Amino acid sequence: SCLCGSAPCLFCGCCPSVKNSTVSRLLFTFFLFLGTLVSIIMIIPGVEKELHKLPGFCEGSGSVLGAQARVDCSSFLGHKAVYRMGFAMAAFFLLFSLLMVCVRSSKDPRAALHNGFWFFKFLVLVGITVGAFYIPDGAFTSVWFYFGVVGSFLFILIQLVLLIDLAHSWSQRWLRRAGEGSARGWYAALCTVTVIFYAAAIAAVTLLYVYYTQPEGCTQGKAFISINLILCLIVSVVSILPKIQEAQPHSGLLQASLITLYTIYITWSALANVPIRRCNPTLLLRNSTGSATATEALSTWWDAPSIVGLLIFILCTLFISLRSSDHPQVNKMMLTEESGAGAGAEAGAEEGAVRRAYDNEQDGVCYNYSFFHFCLLLAALYIMMTLTNWYRPNESLQVLSSPWTAVWVKISSSWAGLLLYLWTLVAPLVLPDRDFS
């Protein structure tokens, strides 16, 4: 019955008092992480060589950009597997995003589908995954690459929103504790963390200039690093201007330092996709035999930016699933209303003391079901692009290389993120009649 019942039933004996809304988000996030784990396993070189044994995975030929091309089934099997796993997860969350449109409370029959039937939902995900591996080669990889690019761009912006909120909550909490007592210690901790973030950002910028630029040439890399460095300096200065401090007393350098560090990471990730060997020492090119054109043998198909991106992805996805913001504006933007919904939650907890988990959404949902699944869809596309280093096969499907598209998407997302953070600073001055508490 637990496999077909509600989410609390799965956790009734092993957890403390847990909200139904939290359990459901964690289980859907577990599905995403499970798909991510399968993708990681499939891209491991030893496993990748065995994928050709899957029936139908390497069969067929397709039309690529209007030209008929015979597809070599030994080419980039791990890359193909990750794309199909990403397609399956995206289709799964798109299905639930469409099904859960306009669900207002757990009394809606569709809410039972969202919060229960986990065994059958797992079977649906497995079925979609198996079907995805029968998608023939050809135009699929080329077209799905652009879907991944757009979804990853949007998820990078969501990551930045969550980081901005995390930095604001972090700063407010420490300032509040400083006001309650032992102010010197809390202010020292605040300053120490800020200095560490800025020191790491400065060190990273220095390394980017050393390894991703040359005295002559590499103009794009120099421009990207310099522009983002200048923009980070601007937002750091703006964050401590007297008028900004007057409008937002909790704004400060801690938030700016975290955003600066994240922006430098995005810049590093973009430079790691520059398709010019002279300007990108970490560039990897693979031909149809799976060998690398790098100076050393290719032991894994990941680079350092991808590993960092994977860690950030895990943290931000858990952030989406576990908590709502302390700021009403962020809750509105993320369509989360944790404090307003579930008025009878405490009563439900008392009545179901034995069950330990309780339905807190009878009077209203705590988060927008449809938007939550849409965020997981974007996360699935982002992890798909991260695990494949944003690389794609060329027109003949014989060489897997990094396109300029990936570089410009990442750089554009860093600029959009900085503008978004700048807007959070100046919005109270531009729109004085609105409440930005």
Side-chain angles (χ1 to χ4, degrees):
S1 62
C2 284
L3 295 177
C4 304
S6 62
C9 182
L10 294 177
F11 286 76
C12 59
C14 57
C15 287
S17 181
V18 181
K19 298 176 182 177
N20 186 41
S21 59
T22 303
V23 174
S24 296
R25 281 181 284 184
L26 283 175
L27 288 173
F28 276 112
T29 303
F30 170 76
F31 281 1
L32 177 63
F33 287 168
L34 182 62
T36 302
L37 179 61
V38 173
S39 299
I40 293 174
I41 293 174
M42 286 182 173
I43 210 170
I44 295 175
V47 178
E48 181 182 12
K49 294 179 181 179
E50 301 297 323
L51 290 176
H52 71 279
K53 297 180 180 179
L54 292 177
F57 186 42
C58 294
E59 294 178 0
S61 61
S63 175
V64 183
L65 301 179
Q68 293 295 326
R70 187 68 185 175
V71 178
D72 180 7
C73 24
S74 64
S75 306
F76 329 123
L77 294 179
H79 185 277
K80 295 176 184 179
V82 172
Y83 264 49
R84 281 157 176 76
M85 194 68 220
F87 175 83
M89 290 191 294
F92 177 77
F93 291 120
L94 176 62
L95 173 64
F96 277 92
S97 181
L98 296 176
L99 287 176
M100 298 300 146
V101 172
C102 296
V103 174
R104 304 300 182 188
S105 70
S106 61
K107 298 178 182 178
D108 191 309
R110 291 175 296 168
L113 180 63
H114 174 81
N115 294 315
F117 302 98
W118 296 102
F119 177 70
F120 294 102
K121 283 188 281 194
F122 177 74
L123 292 182
V124 169
L125 178 58
V126 172
I128 296 175
T129 302
V130 172
F133 275 82
Y134 282 91
I135 298 176
D137 283 305
F140 170 76
T141 302
S142 302
V143 173
W144 191 241
F145 170 83
Y146 290 101
F147 279 92
V149 164
V150 174
S152 299
F153 175 84
L154 296 176
F155 189 73
I156 288 174
L157 294 184
I158 290 178
Q159 284 183 333
L160 189 75
V161 170
L162 297 176
L163 285 175
I164 293 174
D165 176 50
L166 172 64
H168 277 295
S169 300
W170 189 353
S171 177
Q172 287 186 8
R173 189 174 294 109
W174 281 15
L175 290 176
R176 189 183 307 118
R177 292 181 179 178
E180 294 173 354
S182 64
R184 182 177 299 179
W186 286 110
Y187 283 124
L190 198 64
C191 292
T192 300
V193 172
T194 302
V195 170
I196 290 174
F197 284 165
Y198 273 121
I202 293 172
V205 168
T206 304
L207 293 175
L208 291 181
Y209 274 118
V210 171
Y211 289 102
Y212 290 91
T213 64
Q214 297 292 334
E216 296 181 1
C218 302
T219 307
Q220 297 93 338
K222 295 176 183 176
F224 293 152
I225 300 172
S226 301
I227 291 173
N228 280 358
L229 179 60
I230 293 172
L231 291 176
C232 289
L233 289 174
I234 291 174
V235 297
S236 297
V237 172
V238 170
S239 67
I240 56 175
L241 291 177
K243 289 188 177 180
I244 299 295
Q245 289 289 310
E246 182 179 350
Q248 297 195 64
H250 296 291
S251 174
L253 290 177
L254 176 62
Q255 298 93 315
S257 64
L258 183 58
I259 300 307
T260 296
L261 190 59
Y262 181 73
T263 300
I264 299 303
Y265 157 71
I266 294 295
T267 307
W268 174 35
S269 181
L271 294 177
N273 279 109
V274 171
I276 302 174
R277 166 66 59 189
R278 185 167 174 269
C279 304
N280 181 9
T282 60
L283 182 65
L284 295 172
L285 297 177
R286 296 178 72 183
N287 58 27
S288 60
T289 63
S291 61
T293 61
T295 56
E296 298 180 359
L298 182 61
S299 59
T300 181
W301 188 228
W302 299 343
D303 55 6
S306 297
I307 296 174
V308 176
L310 178 61
L311 296 176
I312 295 176
F313 154 79
I314 293 174
L315 294 175
C316 288
T317 307
L318 289 175
F319 194 92
I320 292 173
S321 303
L322 289 176
R323 69 180 294 274
S324 62
S325 173
D326 296 332
H327 301 273
Q329 297 299 327
V330 176
N331 281 333
K332 289 179 181 178
M333 182 161 53
M334 298 300 294
L335 303 181
T336 304
E337 299 177 359
E338 193 76 37
S339 60
E346 293 300 328
E350 293 176 0
E351 293 175 2
V354 177
R355 294 175 53 184
R356 294 181 179 271
Y358 55 91
D359 182 5
N360 63 318
E361 298 180 304
Q362 293 182 359
D363 298 326
V365 295
C366 296
Y367 59 99
N368 186 297
Y369 288 178
S370 183
F371 185 75
F372 170 72
H373 288 292
F374 181 70
C375 288
L376 294 187
L377 184 156
L378 298 181
L381 295 176
Y382 173 81
I383 198 60
M384 179 188 76
M385 300 303 293
T386 299
L387 293 179
T388 57
N389 290 357
W390 294 63
Y391 283 32
R392 70 177 182 187
N394 65 352
E395 295 182 6
S396 64
L397 298 182
Q398 298 301 309
V399 176
L400 193 62
S401 58
S402 176
W404 277 104
T405 305
V407 179
W408 281 107
V409 167
K410 292 181 180 181
I411 289 296
S412 299
S413 64
S414 70
W415 294 342
L418 286 171
L419 291 177
L420 180 63
Y421 175 62
L422 184 63
W423 172 249
T424 65
L425 296 176
V426 303
L429 299 179
V430 177
L431 302 171
D433 296 332
R434 292 186 58 183
D435 180 20
F436 290 94
S437 60

